Amino acid sequence: MAAAGGLLRGPEVWAYVLDGHERLRIALAELTEGKERGSSRLPGWTRAHVLSHIEGVCRAQTRQARYALKGELIEVYDGGRPARDAGIEAGAVRTAAELTAAVTATLAEAEAVWGSVGDADWDRPVRYREGDLLGALHCWWRELEVHTADVNLATCSAAWPRELCLHLFDFLAPRAPAGLTLVESDGSLRHTFSVGGAGSYGTVAGDDSVGRAAVVRGRLTDLASWLAGRQPHQQLDGRLPELGPWP
């Protein structure tokens, strides 16, 4: 396991992604006809909207990998954000069976492409955030886990692995006001966000006082869920400050 706040290696992230694929497949097994029109955990989106988005972002990041392995760069979405949004709306009209087949096929495609990435390939450049393959895989991991929970079927954020929660703390740090401290109630982690989106990790102390800064305590998965803009499964303790947009 990576240290708190540390960056996992490519094969480690890929192992967690494969676990996430299986949880999504389990959720899809519950998607009987009619359930695709039910509400997701995202306001204004049905389950079909979320699954359509999962399919699209999976395909987009998989093609980042496919082209990177050929030494080529390609945009994340042809047509940018407008085309992405239009694709979600168009895909959301499909039936449960059609959505299940489409998402399942996209997962299989992802496993074929990402599974061929070697140890020397992770720093290959991609267009996604002008980063590298490892960053693109981290993106798919976040999108996969967060939106699988959003589908509101068999799995939820309570199933998120600890390593994902720590990664979300780091990635979503720009959302947090400086000085906000998150304290894990089911473990020993304490994380304080500083100016500029950085942060520091430590262990839980007896005194939660950090001056006027907010201190929020809860289970690690609930803290990560709230930081990601989702409703925690168990109530958090402390004053919840307003969060900024996703970075």
Side-chain angles (χ1 to χ4, degrees):
M1 185 181 90
L7 186 66
L8 293 168
R9 296 173 55 251
E12 295 172 313
V13 179
W14 180 234
Y16 283 114
V17 169
L18 287 174
D19 288 344
H21 283 190
E22 288 309 305
R23 283 193 294 277
L24 178 53
R25 289 185 175 106
I26 291 170
L28 287 170
E30 284 194 7
L31 193 72
T32 53
E33 293 302 328
K35 280 190 176 181
E36 75 277 14
R37 304 295 162 227
S39 298
S40 74
R41 291 192 173 99
L42 286 179
W45 271 19
T46 65
R47 293 189 178 103
H49 283 92
V50 178
L51 289 169
S52 183
H53 177 46
I54 289 174
E55 177 198 4
V57 73
C58 181
R59 182 181 298 112
Q61 293 299 347
T62 296
R63 83 170 188 163
Q64 291 291 292
R66 181 185 296 109
Y67 277 81
L69 291 172
K70 297 188 293 184
E72 301 177 26
L73 299 174
I74 192 169
E75 294 301 321
V76 179
Y77 292 96
D78 289 330
R81 182 64 179 260
R84 164 199 174 274
D85 294 345
I88 292 171
E89 292 296 332
V93 304
R94 290 173 291 182
T95 65
E98 291 170 334
L99 285 161
T100 297
V103 173
T104 300
T106 306
L107 294 180
E109 178 187 5
E111 289 169 5
V113 174
W114 285 104
S116 67
V117 177
D119 289 341
D121 294 321
W122 292 107
D123 61 353
R124 285 177 178 265
V126 296
R127 279 278 182 252
Y128 170 71
R129 296 183 180 239
E130 303 303 326
D132 57 20
L133 264 183
L134 183 55
L137 184 61
H138 272 91
C139 171
W140 170 228
W141 187 27
R142 292 190 300 271
E143 295 285 327
L144 166 68
E145 295 283 15
V146 171
H147 290 311
T148 295
D150 288 337
V151 173
N152 198 18
L153 285 171
T155 189
C156 63
S157 60
W160 287 352
R162 183 176 187 83
E163 288 77 5
L164 176 69
C165 295
L166 299 180
H167 170 61
L168 288 173
F169 279 17
D170 287 342
F171 178 75
L172 297 174
R175 302 196 74 196
L180 169 66
T181 296
L182 302 182
V183 179
E184 181 185 14
S185 61
D186 53 340
S188 60
L189 188 73
R190 182 188 188 97
H191 181 69
T192 300
F193 296 95
S194 58
V195 177
S200 62
Y201 287 87
T203 57
V204 175
D207 181 11
D208 282 346
S209 176
V210 287
R212 296 182 180 179
V215 176
V216 179
R217 179 187 291 269
R219 296 187 309 172
L220 188 66
T221 51
D222 287 325
L223 293 169
S225 183
W226 169 71
L227 192 62
R230 272 64 182 176
Q231 182 68 33
H233 288 272
Q234 292 187 11
Q235 185 174 352
L236 300 174
D237 294 328
R239 176 179 58 84
L240 301 181
E242 183 176 351
L243 298 172
W246 268 64

